[in-house]
Amino acid sequence: MKQLLLGNQAIARGAYEAGVKVCTAYPGTPSTEITEAISKYDDVYCEWSPNEKVALEVGIGAAIAGARAMVCMKHVGLNVAADPLFTVSYTGVNAGLVIVVADDPGMHSSQNEQDSRYYARSAHVPMLEPASSQEAKEYVKMAFDISEKFDTPVLLRLTTRISHSQGIVDIGDKNNIELKEYKKDAQKYVMMPAMAKKRHVVVEERMNKLQSFADQLDINTIESTDNKVGIITSGIAYQYVKEAMDDISVLKLGMVHPLPKKLINDFVQKFEKVYIIEELEPLFEEQIKSWGLDVIGKELFSRQGEMSSEIIKEKIIGEKSQALIDKGQLPARPPVMCPGCPHRGIFYVLNKLKLIVTGDIGCYTLGTLPPLQAIDTCICMGASVGTALGMEKARGRDFGKKVVAVIGDSTFIHSGITGLIDVVYNKGNSTVIILDNSTTGMTGHQDNPATGKTIKDEATYKLDLEKLVNAIGVERVRVIDPFNIHQAEKIIKEEVNSDQPSVIISRRPCALLEKRKNVQGYTIDNEKCKRCKACLKLGCPAIANKNGRMVIDPALCNGCGLCVSVCKFDAITKAGETDGQNK
């Protein structure tokens, strides 16, 4: 049977067919759909973990206990999981352990561009990279076999275009893989220094075997023509090469670490000129050049952004492609918060108070742009809390009274908790605002420990953020409604002036969770409107200035009423109601 699947869905299917028993992840674009897809299989244990480090630790435990396990994350998540990754490389596994990491060349939804192939090299583990949905499914199954054959975790690298492109996939049957026997083996699984030194030797021996294995592996393939030019590539870059020049000789690498040295050497010797085409960093190029081989790479191609068939044609053939659409003619569409977003009121107040705001990863970054312009910094998941404390320690308490940290509920659980512990332990006075919208919003509404639901929509213990914050040692905890901006302003002023650490929990469900039908929106009475444009300062997509008249688009308005709070002239009322009825 054949199905049209996203690369991410194909990964899930491959893991299912490979007999995976445990799958863990923290949501992060472009990897999120893998875990959502595999959660549909009833006989696979599946979880959203609090962060990627925990996800990998659960996966390691499952593999050591004898069950095939898969752990999924985006590229920056691998930074969080790097600590256990480098050590599980030493311990090895019992049953297969596959770690899927999705890179984001071009930063479509990420704070940086990283090339996860370096993690494979640095951690001394093999890495596979598929170039289509079909390969995504097959490579997962192969990765489990390699993991068990060589007693190693295996990294499987995706990029955005593979994760989110659809392709025809042959669907197979599930292999019923029995649990492997668990055997206590402290020499292998307890990495005290004396034991770790012995395991390091094992790791190096394993890499030598893997390099020989790579030379024979049939996913490293040569497609040869009579052309005098050859190309070495992998992943989505292979598809761009084939689109640009179908008649050229290609060495397509399916295993991208370790590289098949003999195969590459033989390939390079056959051609007058060999190009290395790889997105982001020159990882292939540097290693191949270190072997004394003459290849061409980043002197032609950028380290930044995505590759394309147009770039390849221009750089190798000298043929400039005419873009189908002149991008200059398209209107700019900066990302904005949704109509009715509960974060909007908080950012409006923070901007009004001219506070310095250390932000975090998620919808909160949208508070950076005009007209709200509330966010000053955004570094990585959970960093807002520590950054606020650092500002206070650098410039003193008076400066600290101008600083607040904002962080979401899921992000606070991911890695903000330790920052808040640091604030309390090291006698800081920071004010932290947890924007609790009852979901993991930016990645598409995944549950987290504070929502009371698992990935399979089962009811579970709901983490009590107030009690958690109290237990950390924060005595000043306030809960506010972000749509009541007068209350929010009053409490934020009080807390930043307090000489104790404080937490404000701003609680309202994400507007997109509120799938209310027949919402009664608002309208503007232009007889009363004084054109002060205060309502425009909210940055609500539903409110616009049309030829000097303020109007609310009924198709966008979701009836949150925030605009009513900022209008001093009572010009905004519920649509269909007469004056004063909505007060």
Side-chain angles (χ1 to χ4, degrees):
M1 184 174 67
K2 295 181 184 297
Q3 285 187 9
L4 186 64
L5 297 179
L6 290 174
N8 281 348
Q9 293 170 323
I11 292 284
R13 181 68 199 184
Y16 172 75
E17 291 180 12
V20 71
K21 293 282 195 303
V22 173
C23 179
T24 62
Y26 183 83
T29 306
S31 68
T32 307
E33 296 87 356
I34 303 170
T35 317
E36 290 177 331
I38 206 165
S39 71
K40 309 300 182 190
Y41 298 106
D42 291 337
D43 48 352
V44 178
Y45 171 78
C46 189
E47 71 169 41
W48 291 128
S49 305
N51 64 33
E52 296 83 356
K53 179 175 182 288
V54 174
L56 181 51
E57 289 159 351
V58 173
I60 291 169
I64 290 175
R68 285 190 166 186
M70 183 169 75
V71 185
C72 311
M73 61 196 71
K74 68 181 295 182
H75 62 292
V76 289
L78 192 54
N79 301 335
V80 182
D83 201 359
L85 170 66
F86 277 66
T87 300
V88 73
S89 170
Y90 276 36
T91 66
V93 296
N94 181 14
L97 175 62
V98 176
I99 303 159
V100 183
V101 57
D103 288 1
D104 188 16
M107 294 178 282
H108 298 283
S109 59
S110 306
Q111 64 269 41
N112 64 37
E113 289 180 314
Q114 284 180 204
D115 194 327
S116 295
R117 293 177 298 171
Y118 282 108
Y119 271 107
R121 181 190 284 182
S122 186
H124 302 284
V125 297
M127 173 180 268
L128 308 184
E129 183 176 11
S132 66
S133 292
Q134 178 67 45
E135 287 188 356
K137 194 200 82 163
E138 297 305 325
Y139 282 20
V140 173
K141 298 166 75 172
M142 182 180 293
F144 278 111
D145 293 339
I146 292 172
S147 176
E148 293 175 357
K149 179 181 177 69
F150 291 93
D151 191 15
T152 177
V154 176
L155 281 165
L156 194 147
R157 182 197 189 215
L158 304 172
T159 54
T160 304
R161 300 294 174 183
I162 297 295
S163 289
H164 289 166
S165 295
Q166 291 183 316
I168 300 294
V169 177
D170 289 320
I171 302 301
D173 296 326
K174 176 185 176 184
N175 290 324
N176 290 314
I177 305 293
E178 297 294 325
L179 284 174
K180 289 181 177 293
E181 181 184 1
Y182 171 72
K183 293 181 180 177
K184 183 180 176 70
D185 188 348
Q187 292 292 325
K188 185 170 187 286
Y189 294 121
V190 180
M191 286 302 93
M192 297 163 63
M195 301 168 186
K197 288 175 183 174
K198 295 176 183 175
R199 291 298 304 178
H200 195 177
V201 175
V202 173
V203 169
E204 296 307 322
E205 291 173 349
R206 183 181 73 203
M207 289 309 298
N208 290 334
K209 293 176 183 175
L210 277 163
Q211 179 142 33
S212 299
F213 177 72
D215 275 318
Q216 307 302 320
L217 195 58
D218 61 6
I219 61 172
N220 296 323
T221 57
I222 294 176
E223 301 169 10
S224 186
T225 72
D226 293 333
N227 202 301
K228 295 179 181 178
V229 175
I231 288 178
I232 300 174
T233 187
S234 70
I236 191 63
Y238 165 79
Q239 302 290 6
Y240 297 140
V241 168
K242 297 301 288 183
E243 188 176 333
M245 301 173 295
D246 192 39
D247 59 345
I248 202 163
S249 295
V250 176
L251 169 52
K252 174 177 173 290
L253 298 172
M255 176 178 271
V256 295
H257 182 75
L259 293 179
K261 184 175 181 179
K262 181 177 184 304
L263 186 66
I264 290 173
N265 183 69
D266 292 347
F267 181 82
V268 173
Q269 302 303 331
K270 289 180 181 176
F271 299 96
E272 294 179 4
K273 190 178 288 185
V274 173
Y275 295 92
I276 307 293
I277 298 183
E278 52 189 331
E279 285 185 323
L280 300 179
E281 299 297 320
L283 186 127
F284 295 162
E285 179 186 342
E286 289 180 350
Q287 188 161 4
I288 292 169
K289 284 182 173 175
S290 77
W291 297 336
L293 299 174
D294 185 20
V295 293
I296 302 166
K298 292 301 178 185
E299 57 264 52
L300 284 183
F301 300 101
S302 173
R303 292 174 182 234
Q304 301 168 9
E306 295 183 292
M307 191 65 69
S308 72
S309 58
E310 288 80 12
I311 294 172
I312 294 169
K313 280 182 182 176
E314 181 178 342
K315 298 296 183 182
I316 295 182
I317 307 174
E319 176 185 315
K320 287 193 176 183
S321 300
Q322 187 158 5
L324 296 177
I325 299 174
D326 181 356
K327 295 181 180 178
Q329 296 176 355
L330 297 174
R333 292 189 178 89
V336 296
M337 285 186 285
C338 305
C341 176
H343 303 338
R344 178 173 283 106
I346 296 298
F347 291 136
Y348 174 82
V349 172
L350 295 175
N351 184 31
K352 179 182 177 184
L353 297 178
K354 303 304 176 192
L355 293 172
I356 297 167
V357 181
T358 56
D360 224 297
I361 302 297
C363 300
Y364 344 106
T365 54
L366 301 175
T368 306
L369 302 174
L372 295 168
Q373 295 179 288
I375 303 295
D376 288 71
T377 68
C378 179
I379 309 299
C380 65
M381 292 285 283
S384 61
V385 185
T387 305
L389 178 65
M391 286 187 172
E392 177 191 328
K393 293 297 184 184
R395 303 185 70 94
R397 179 55 193 146
D398 286 342
F399 186 86
K401 289 182 178 180
K402 304 173 187 173
V403 179
V404 297
V406 295
I407 188 168
D409 49 337
S410 183
T411 313
F412 178 67
I413 294 164
H414 178 281
S415 49
I417 295 171
T418 44
L420 188 60
I421 291 171
D422 193 32
V423 169
V424 176
Y425 175 64
N426 285 305
K427 303 178 181 179
N429 296 302
S430 302
T431 295
V432 177
I433 303 177
I434 301 175
L435 300 175
D436 179 3
N437 63 359
S438 306
T439 190
T440 309
M442 184 67 95
T443 48
H445 298 129
Q446 291 74 32
D447 282 296
N448 65 59
T451 67
K453 291 284 184 65
T454 70
I455 189 173
K456 298 200 175 190
D457 202 33
E458 300 163 335
T460 185
Y461 178 77
K462 183 177 180 180
L463 179 67
D464 189 320
L465 290 175
E466 291 94 313
K467 288 182 179 177
L468 173 65
V469 169
N470 280 144
I472 286 172
V474 178
E475 296 178 353
R476 297 181 67 93
V477 183
R478 314 285 292 274
V479 180
I480 63 173
D481 179 351
F483 285 161
N484 187 341
I485 59 174
H486 302 299
Q487 177 207 35
E489 181 175 343
K490 175 177 177 292
I491 288 178
I492 290 171
K493 282 180 178 176
E494 290 174 0
E495 296 309 314
V496 294
N497 283 297
S498 165
D499 288 324
Q500 297 178 53
S502 63
V503 169
I504 301 169
I505 300 175
S506 172
R507 181 167 287 148
R508 271 270 185 175
C510 172
L512 299 181
L513 288 178
E514 300 274 278
K515 296 178 180 175
R516 294 174 296 168
K517 296 180 179 177
N518 303 318
V519 168
Q520 192 173 10
Y522 285 82
T523 187
I524 297 177
D525 182 345
N526 270 279
E527 295 296 322
K528 291 184 177 180
C529 177
K530 304 301 182 188
R531 318 292 190 264
C532 70
K533 301 181 182 178
C535 53
L536 291 179
K537 293 179 181 177
L538 291 170
C540 177
I543 306 174
N545 180 351
K546 288 192 175 179
N547 302 319
R549 291 168 59 89
M550 300 301 118
V551 296
I552 295 177
D553 185 342
L556 292 176
C557 179
N558 82 343
C560 74
L562 198 61
C563 51
V564 178
S565 302
V566 300
C567 180
K568 297 178 181 177
F569 307 105
D570 295 332
I572 303 177
T573 57
K574 280 191 175 178
E577 290 187 347
T578 57
D579 185 28
Q581 282 185 314
N582 65 322
K583 300 295 181 182

